[in-house]
Amino acid sequence: MRIDIVTIFPKMFSPVLNESIIRIAQAKGKVKFYLHDLRDYTPDKHRKVDDRVFGGGSGMLMRPEPLFNAVEAILSKTKKNKPKVILLSPQGKKLNQKICKAIAKEKQLVLLCGHYEGVDERIRKNLVDEEISIGDYVLTGGELAAMVLVDSVVRLLPGVLGDKNSLNFESFEGNLLEHPHYTRPANFRNMAVPEVLLSGDHKKIAAWRKEQALKRTKERRPDLLKKAALG
Ligand code: ADE
């Protein structure tokens, strides 16, 4: 996968992209990142990326020209694929595991990090394929949201995580949270691991895990359970 990120703060990304699984995914050749400073695509010498709102009102908006220029420059270099252009904004569709999986199937993403009071509506209508929010709260900009999206998508790319099962059995699969896990020691300060997990009876263990996953989901995320019943 190729991921182009358009931002006014490109330096924010290097600590995140160069650690842990994302760093390894790049080393394995599973993903390649291209960071673009939006100010390089401004037509004026002040490198201005924002402007006042027509009709009045407080705050500033992102101007259309730099974002259109940036996306067009990226597209002109990557004619083979039709990249998915995603705007990170609190007005977008709320990110979930299903959306991450769909995005992980793309060959190329262009992530646009919004700022200020938002973007000129023509960007939304004519440049962007999808608008994504990472939750019902407002960040100072789209950069952290872009990092969340990158992290959740890159780990799903084939060959990035060593153990395929770790993807099949994680939370949100089948709309359930994961069952509880334990590791050694079997008894830690008088807190014992449930007996069944030490029994070696794989059928019993599987049944216990299923029951615990249901119980946990019911207690913590009844909204997911409703989805599980429907699907
Ligand atoms: N930019 C500001 N807040 C955001 C959010 N919740 N999700 C995505 N982008 C944002």
Side-chain angles (χ1 to χ4, degrees):
M1 181 183 267
R2 170 181 169 138
I3 305 181
D4 289 83
I5 301 171
V6 181
T7 167
I8 53 173
F9 296 120
K11 280 192 281 191
M12 272 179 84
F13 286 85
S14 47
V16 170
L17 301 184
N18 295 315
E19 292 286 358
S20 185
I21 305 281
I22 305 184
R23 179 181 61 78
I24 295 166
Q26 290 176 87
K28 285 183 177 171
K30 307 291 179 194
V31 63
K32 214 161 176 182
F33 292 99
Y34 294 83
L35 283 157
H36 307 270
D37 187 337
L38 183 62
R39 293 191 197 280
D40 292 342
Y41 297 92
T42 47
D44 57 302
K45 73 170 194 294
H46 301 294
R47 291 160 65 84
K48 201 167 140 64
V49 292
D50 60 335
D51 214 328
R52 290 192 306 272
V53 184
F54 275 131
S58 65
M60 303 289 268
L61 279 188
M62 293 190 84
R63 299 165 66 192
E65 197 170 4
L67 278 167
F68 272 81
N69 285 347
V71 172
E72 282 158 9
I74 293 165
L75 298 191
S76 74
K77 280 192 210 121
T78 57
K79 286 210 179 85
K80 271 193 296 186
N81 308 316
K82 163 76 189 86
K84 196 172 205 55
V85 180
I86 298 175
L87 172 69
L88 285 308
S89 115
Q91 293 192 16
K93 217 189 302 168
K94 210 192 299 178
L95 188 64
N96 61 32
Q97 193 66 8
K98 197 170 160 201
I99 297 174
C100 294
K101 281 186 177 173
I103 294 175
K105 296 206 173 91
E106 298 287 336
K107 289 256 179 305
Q108 187 183 348
L109 306 176
V110 179
L111 306 183
L112 308 180
C113 304
H115 264 273
Y116 313 107
E117 302 311 304
V119 298
D120 183 287
E121 194 61 20
R122 290 164 289 189
I123 292 166
R124 219 170 236 131
K125 289 225 171 102
N126 301 300
L127 192 63
V128 165
D129 299 313
E130 202 165 333
E131 199 168 332
I132 287 186
S133 160
I134 61 162
D136 293 341
Y137 43 84
V138 182
L139 302 166
T140 54
E143 281 75 13
L144 289 170
M147 290 182 219
V148 168
L149 179 65
V150 162
D151 189 275
S152 57
V153 166
V154 167
R155 65 188 290 284
L156 296 175
L157 299 178
V160 167
L161 292 186
D163 179 2
K164 273 194 199 144
N165 277 340
S166 64
L167 285 180
N168 292 335
F169 292 106
E170 67 187 1
S171 288
F172 305 112
E173 278 311 309
N175 283 312
L176 288 180
L177 298 180
E178 258 190 292
H179 54 78
H181 297 282
Y182 296 88
T183 184
R184 267 172 281 270
N187 196 324
F188 171 66
R189 297 184 184 170
N190 253 346
M191 295 178 274
V193 169
E195 203 72 48
V196 60
L197 298 177
L198 310 174
S199 69
D201 184 336
H202 294 294
K203 250 188 161 160
K204 255 197 192 158
I205 293 172
W208 181 86
R209 286 180 167 164
K210 181 87 206 233
E211 178 196 306
Q212 291 292 318
L214 276 166
K215 180 168 175 274
R216 177 157 283 196
T217 313
K218 205 164 156 184
E219 284 165 7
R220 299 183 183 194
R221 294 292 305 273
D223 58 308
L224 288 179
L225 222 48
K226 271 187 220 142
K227 277 193 221 160
L230 294 172

